[in-house]
Amino acid sequence: MRRSLEGAFREFAEARAGQLFRSACLLTSGDTHLAEDLVQETLGRMYVVWGRRTTRLSNPAAYAQTVLIRSFLAHQRRRSAGERPSDELPEATAAGPGDATLRLTLLDALRQLPPKDRAVVVLRYWEDRSIEETADVLHLSSAAVRTRSTRALARLREQLGGSISEFAAH
């Protein structure tokens, strides 16, 4: 029984680690080291509850995303969360294929958002979650999610201005 649970968890972790890492990179504005830490923390917490037959694990992928978001927000509340060893983002090769300039511009714009607003943007527009699902994950009301989403998108538009269309045209 124990081996089958561990095997099932291993399969789950291998299948979801990439998606969790991509979401964590967006949340951390490209800080791949912190993103890796958040994914490991998420998978560690998932392992602890994996064997339990709870309703939370009826959809383990959604639960893992919730754990990731909450881990990120907890990290942001810590006093040392604002410390950064460098202003430079990792090389574009770490980000993977695609337009590096556009990625860096978007990550920089996301970095300027407060952590909860960034979490709302990632959940709503990257993870394609509904307002209600986002509210549940962040322990907010639906109205608060709508308000944060509207404000965050307005800030992103203000920061990016017309420059985003310049990058997207390439």
Side-chain angles (χ1 to χ4, degrees):
M1 175 81 168
R2 178 87 175 150
R3 284 189 181 173
S4 66
L5 284 176
E6 287 181 8
F9 177 77
R10 182 172 289 127
E11 286 177 27
F12 169 79
E14 289 171 356
R16 294 298 301 168
Q19 178 65 33
L20 289 170
F21 179 71
R22 287 186 292 278
S23 293
C25 282
L26 288 171
L27 288 169
T28 62
S29 300
D31 184 343
T32 57
H33 299 291
L34 177 56
E36 289 171 352
D37 290 346
L38 290 173
V39 170
Q40 288 302 313
E41 184 174 341
T42 298
L43 292 175
R45 289 183 183 182
M46 289 293 296
Y47 183 77
V48 170
V49 299
W50 190 259
R52 299 180 192 160
R53 298 291 179 208
T54 64
T55 57
R56 287 189 287 184
L57 290 183
S58 63
N59 186 349
Y63 184 66
Q65 194 67 32
T66 299
V67 171
L68 176 70
I69 296 290
R70 289 182 183 162
S71 296
F72 165 72
L73 292 174
H75 179 270
Q76 291 300 305
R77 284 190 293 270
R78 289 188 211 126
R79 188 174 205 162
S80 64
E83 297 175 4
R84 299 227 191 273
S86 173
D87 289 337
E88 302 289 324
L89 287 174
E91 294 297 320
T93 56
D99 188 349
T101 307
L102 176 59
R103 285 177 186 259
L104 293 176
T105 301
L106 290 174
L107 288 174
D108 187 49
L110 278 172
R111 184 183 305 115
Q112 304 302 318
L113 295 177
K116 276 199 176 180
D117 288 354
R118 196 177 323 154
V120 166
V121 169
V122 169
L123 284 171
R124 290 280 294 129
Y125 303 103
W126 174 256
E127 293 294 323
D128 199 27
R129 298 258 187 125
S130 70
I131 290 172
E132 292 74 23
E133 290 172 326
T134 303
D136 186 48
V137 168
L138 297 174
H139 297 299
L140 298 171
S141 68
S142 296
V145 169
R146 284 187 201 96
T147 301
R148 283 187 176 277
S149 179
T150 301
R151 267 193 234 144
L153 291 176
R155 285 183 191 152
L156 288 173
R157 284 185 192 105
E158 182 181 301
Q159 290 172 12
L160 297 171
S163 65
I164 194 70
S165 60
E166 294 170 17
F167 293 120
H170 293 145

